[in-house]
Amino acid sequence: TAYGGQRSGDPSLTSKVLIGINAAVWVLLLATGGRGSPLVDVLALRPDGGLTEVNGVTYNIPAGVADGRYWQLFTSMFTHVEVWHIGFNMLALWALGPQLEAAIGRTRFLALYLLSGLTASAAVMWFSVPYSLTLGASGAIFGLMGALALVAVKVYGDVRGVAIWIAVNFAFTFLFVRLISWQGHVGGFVGGLLLGAVIVYAPRAS
């Protein structure tokens, strides 16, 4: 067993499915206008919408989670517009996902990915500007990093390699903080650490 869960026959399968879903949403957005697609405002995460004033100009911001679009907490982690954004995230998912699925099993890996994405969304809701727009799988990816670090510690693996990967990604996060959601990255990472601790350190019998 993989930490009490059923070991995956193909540990890359879940990552392939997740990459396929992200790619399909990306193609859909490109086909409907890219950054200007009306679907961006529907799928990406916006904590709040409504009227807001910036430099004396009043804008009518599209509806967000506080206005009833609760699905954005989930759909935002599958939403990308720029090719570099989806490319980097999917490359990271392909590098991290199969390792984790092989270690903890398919069901736990999928739960880890989705719940890390939701903790990232929660952090965005809590710490971001209410009318900001956040999208991308980065929060879930950072959750995988946190969990993989715990697995490496547990099995006395190459912790340095994982630590360098994490450090480089956080360095980019805060170096380009105006372009990157640090809230989502930190929230996803913390969520991955907590969920990873439950999976890795819980008694194997349960």
Side-chain angles (χ1 to χ4, degrees):
T1 58
Y3 290 111
Q6 184 176 2
R7 191 175 297 278
S8 300
D10 177 6
S12 67
L13 178 61
T14 307
S15 296
K16 291 176 181 176
V17 172
L18 291 171
I19 290 172
I21 295 173
N22 278 277
V25 175
W26 177 65
V27 170
L28 177 63
L29 291 179
L30 286 184
T32 55
R35 171 62 70 174
S37 170
L39 293 177
V40 172
D41 286 320
V42 175
L43 299 176
L45 173 58
R46 193 187 306 275
D48 197 4
L51 298 176
T52 184
E53 184 174 316
V54 179
N55 297 326
V57 179
T58 300
Y59 296 92
N60 187 15
I61 306 298
V65 175
D67 307 298
R69 293 187 171 186
Y70 305 112
W71 63 82
Q72 293 180 352
L73 296 168
F74 178 80
T75 58
S76 58
M77 71 179 84
F78 295 98
T79 305
H80 301 81
V81 175
E82 288 83 3
V83 65
W84 65 265
H85 193 194
I86 188 172
F88 180 82
N89 280 343
M90 295 306 99
L91 180 62
L93 174 55
W94 183 249
L96 300 172
Q99 298 180 64
L100 265 175
E101 185 170 336
I104 66 177
R106 181 165 298 154
T107 301
R108 285 179 171 84
F109 170 71
L110 182 60
L112 172 69
Y113 183 90
L114 297 178
L115 291 176
S116 294
L118 288 176
T119 60
S121 294
V124 169
M125 289 291 296
W126 191 264
F127 297 110
S128 292
V129 176
Y131 303 111
S132 62
L133 197 66
T134 303
L135 65 165
S138 304
I141 300 298
F142 269 77
L144 299 186
M145 294 182 198
L148 186 60
L150 289 179
V151 171
V153 170
K154 178 71 173 181
V155 302
Y156 303 101
D158 183 12
V159 179
R160 290 178 301 176
V162 180
I164 291 173
W165 180 282
I166 294 171
V168 168
N169 278 275
F170 269 117
F172 273 103
T173 296
F174 290 102
L175 183 62
F176 299 101
V177 70
R178 293 187 177 183
L179 301 174
I180 297 175
S181 172
W182 68 264
Q183 300 91 337
H185 289 187
V186 172
F189 184 74
V190 171
L193 283 177
L194 294 176
L195 293 163
V198 171
I199 293 171
V200 174
Y201 290 103
R204 293 177 66 86
S206 56

